[in-house]
Amino acid sequence: MAGLTAPSVAADDRVRCAPRRTGEDASRPDGPIDLRALAAVISGITGVGAALSLSLPLLSVVLDSRGIPAIFVGINTATAGVAAIAILPFVTGFAERFGTARVIVVAFVLMAVMLLGFYYVEPFALWFPMRFVFSASVTMIFALTEFWINSLAPPARRGFIVGVYTAFLSAGISIGPIILALVGTDGVLPFAIGAGVLLAAALPVLCVAAREPILQRAGQRNLLRFVAAAPLAMFAALVFGAVESGGTAILPLYGAAIGLTPERAVILVTAIAAGNILSQIPIGYLADRVNRRLLLIGSAAIGMLGALAIPLVAQHYWGLFAVLFVTGGIVTGLYTIGLTHLGARYRGADLATANAAFVMMYAAGMLVGPVSLGAGLDLAPPHGFAIAIATIFGVYVAMSLVRVARDGISP
């Protein structure tokens, strides 16, 4: 497929909510920002965050109410990581053939259909292919919206724009649990709300389909080559995926282990979410002005120190809340800075594939994190949880310092 140009989609076939950018590559590195496309992509990813954070606990509760053992609930949930790794090598090809916006919109629709299907489909065996389709769709949306955001952002403001994108994603993620708290988990209503949010989020993307970034060449398709070429950014995604997914899943268990009530333990998760929302725009601003390799190392080092501080403040609730708020917000910068680094380094189809590799590494972290942090809590209760987090960050810091010592700090 070498030399493949933009998808051969006639202009008349595109939704006419926005004018076609005739003869212009939306991924060019200079020029003004396309604010309509930027707003559409950000609103879309906010909706995904809300629907995802609503659906994950909702599906677990529903399976439990149907008598499915917890271990099988966990195995079904882990299908998400398998689906992500399986679909990512094909994402760039889909975007080249059908158009970035069309693939994103189809993924939104598939997510909505699967989410409603979870309510109506009773046989648990069918939940595995449904979860696979649901999670593969989520993965395609993340990979292609991140590619689109990086394509829209001019170099001087790329970090800031990626920070805005990440902040809105975090805000969306914080909305899902609020919806569940208001409407409960019984009946079809929460499923219908989640599906409605997804379809509503697809509309702005559909309306700017004519402004999608054009892939003018096939580029390099081997995701692992991008991992080898940009290891600091790629492993930052893995580390963040491991700590975020593992921390969200195991933190309430850690709270119970140190004597907190379930309600107070769950509030600790909101401390991390709040830190994410407030920190990403300033971190993105810094990523435009400070060496990104040093920022990645600094963020991971703060994560390691914050994890080591958790046992010291475990018996002081608001001290623990503050540590999680600050550390969680800064650590999320690994994702923002890593995306910014890729946007500065790659263009066109190479950028799309690099973003796919980035999401693949995040998905790999989702497979590793809950197991590692859960094992830490079991093997060295209660603070093995914090030690496991510190170890993950420490390994990344050591690897990064070796890389910098060999290649220098230049991006």
Side-chain angles (χ1 to χ4, degrees):
M1 298 179 68
L4 185 66
T5 58
S8 55
V9 180
D12 290 341
D13 292 335
R14 294 178 182 266
V15 175
R16 283 298 183 184
C17 297
R20 174 68 177 166
R21 299 180 67 180
T22 307
E24 185 177 354
D25 182 355
S27 64
R28 68 180 190 174
D30 56 359
I33 301 173
D34 186 340
L35 293 178
R36 292 181 67 177
L38 181 67
V41 175
I42 287 178
S43 64
I45 202 63
T46 305
V48 170
L52 195 59
S53 62
L54 176 148
S55 64
L56 291 178
L58 175 62
L59 297 182
S60 296
V61 169
V62 169
L63 286 176
D64 181 68
S65 69
R66 294 179 181 179
I68 304 299
I71 186 170
F72 289 108
V73 175
I75 292 172
N76 184 254
T77 305
T79 306
V82 177
I85 293 171
I87 197 66
L88 281 166
F90 305 100
V91 170
T92 304
F94 290 155
E96 287 174 348
R97 183 171 182 180
F98 302 110
T100 301
R102 284 188 172 185
V103 174
I104 292 173
V105 170
V106 169
F108 271 116
V109 174
L110 287 173
M111 279 186 70
V113 171
M114 290 301 106
L115 185 54
L116 275 176
F118 286 125
Y119 175 75
Y120 290 106
V121 174
E122 291 283 347
F124 179 57
L126 295 180
W127 276 51
F128 286 91
M130 291 173 64
R131 179 86 79 160
F132 186 95
V133 173
F134 182 86
S135 301
S137 300
V138 173
T139 301
M140 288 192 290
I141 292 171
F142 274 109
L144 291 178
T145 55
E146 288 167 4
F147 158 60
W148 200 336
I149 283 289
N150 256 325
S151 298
L152 286 169
R157 287 178 284 175
R158 177 172 286 112
F160 175 78
I161 289 173
V162 172
V164 172
Y165 169 92
T166 310
F168 272 88
L169 170 60
S170 298
I173 290 172
S174 69
I175 292 172
I178 296 174
I179 295 174
L180 283 183
L182 293 175
V183 304
T185 59
D186 294 330
V188 72
L189 182 59
F191 293 89
I193 290 174
V197 167
L198 289 167
L199 294 176
L203 288 176
V205 178
L206 190 63
C207 286
V208 296
R211 297 169 176 258
E212 68 182 13
I214 300 173
L215 301 178
Q216 293 184 326
R217 59 188 179 86
Q220 173 58 246
R221 295 300 182 83
N222 188 333
L223 271 61
L224 294 180
R225 288 179 66 95
F226 286 93
V227 175
L232 264 66
M234 295 296 179
F235 279 93
L238 186 148
V239 167
F240 176 66
V243 173
E244 183 198 42
S245 61
T248 302
I250 307 300
L251 182 57
L253 303 181
Y254 174 73
I258 60 175
L260 298 178
T261 64
E263 293 77 15
R264 287 171 71 85
V266 169
I267 290 174
L268 293 178
V269 179
T270 68
I272 299 174
N276 292 348
I277 295 170
L278 296 177
S279 66
Q280 294 319 293
I281 294 176
I283 287 175
Y285 180 85
L286 281 177
D288 291 328
R289 289 158 176 79
V290 178
N291 184 281
R292 286 182 289 274
R293 286 188 170 187
L294 293 181
L295 277 179
L296 286 171
I297 296 171
S299 296
I302 290 173
M304 180 180 67
L305 294 175
L308 292 175
I310 287 175
L312 303 178
V313 296
Q315 299 305 316
H316 305 279
Y317 183 76
W318 292 111
L320 179 58
F321 186 96
V323 167
L324 292 172
F325 175 86
V326 174
T327 305
I330 293 174
V331 162
T332 306
L334 290 171
Y335 201 86
T336 300
I337 300 161
L339 274 181
T340 305
H341 181 74
L342 295 182
R345 183 164 182 169
Y346 298 109
R347 294 285 181 271
D350 281 341
L351 176 57
T353 308
N355 278 124
F358 191 79
V359 177
M360 179 188 72
M361 294 295 283
Y362 176 85
M366 290 177 65
L367 294 176
V368 172
V371 175
S372 301
L373 272 56
L377 182 62
D378 286 341
L379 295 175
H383 300 307
F385 163 77
I387 294 170
I389 295 176
T391 301
I392 292 172
F393 282 125
V395 170
Y396 177 80
V397 170
M399 181 201 79
S400 301
L401 290 175
V402 170
R403 178 83 176 182
V404 167
R406 189 186 73 182
D407 299 336
I409 63 170
S410 59

